[in-house]
Amino acid sequence: MKKPWMADITLLLIALVWGTTFLIVQQAIASLPPNTFNAVRFTVAALFLLVIFLIRSRHQLAAFRGPIVRAGIILGFWLCLGYALQTVGLLYTTPSKAGFITGLSVVLVPLFSFLLLRDRIKPVAVIGVILAAAGLYLLTQNQTFSFNLGDALVFGCAICFAMQIVFTGKYAPRFAALPLAIVQLGTVAVMSWLYSFFFEDWSRAFDPAILFIPEVATGLIVTSIFATALAFLAQTALQKQTSSTRVALIFALEPVFAALTSYVFIHEVLSGRQLIGCLMIFTGMILAELPIGQWLAQARSRKGKAKEGRESA
């Protein structure tokens, strides 16, 4: 099997894991407060990556200097806020809806890149935003508009994730990936613990009777090791073997996996109108990532070369 296909299959498995976490987290936070859950999750993930760093690159501890720490804290701030809103939002909305609303972050990235970094925005991305916004309306309303508290919180999560992606694009080329990730995940852990200490019953994180509840234990293992630490390492290593467009399209399947998981395990069924909304969001996500302009330019270039070839003949 060629390496690009192996990379694509592995990235598809990552999207599958991320899609299943919506249901897994919702079940876990029924026993462990949302931000306390995040605090444990990201502490384990950060320590896991730190151990890997110490084993592989102990002599490079100087990498944790001022600039990379500042960048990691900025990324961690947006990541923490995003996960906090998403996790609390799952108390009030369904995993399927949360998956597709979170997916809006892909559509919002071009807008925020334009506003914050002055990156050129593609016309097709604007169409994707409009389509996804219409899909969001259909997904979150039935007979009357019912954009509930959970939907609103998860939409805030999508905004934060989009900001994190934009700033990652700014900082990632400047710094080594693993140290930056460790600082980022460590920031999420510290911020989550602080919130938990002041606003939640943080002591539940140290209660074996709660930690060994199957849903909680499974949730922490899957999200901290597989969905955070290992997923990051795999994405960083394998994205070099495939194109950014293919990665974006593979990860766009995350909300689809979230919906399938909810259907299989808790029999969550979306209405016809909601399914249309999901399809519109999914299409908007793809339009926001496809390099259609680049493809058209290449097509025109090939057409021009073919014309020159015929004329010279």
Side-chain angles (χ1 to χ4, degrees), residues 137-161:
Y137 173 80
L138 293 177
L139 176 63
T140 56
Q141 63 93 41
N142 293 311
Q143 300 301 320
T144 58
F145 188 71
S146 60
F147 194 75
N148 62 37
L149 175 61
D151 297 334
L153 291 172
V154 177
F155 181 67
C157 147
I159 293 174
C160 294
F161 282 170

Side-chain angles (χ1 to χ4, degrees), residues 195-236:
Y195 183 95
S196 176
F197 285 145
F198 286 104
F199 300 107
E200 294 180 348
D201 185 5
W202 57 270
S203 63
R204 296 171 70 87
F206 301 94
D207 186 348
I210 293 175
L211 290 178
F212 288 105
I213 294 174
E215 291 80 5
V216 175
T218 301
L220 289 173
I221 292 172
V222 171
T223 57
S224 61
I225 302 300
F226 296 99
T228 304
L230 291 180
F232 168 79
L233 287 177
Q235 180 186 358
T236 304

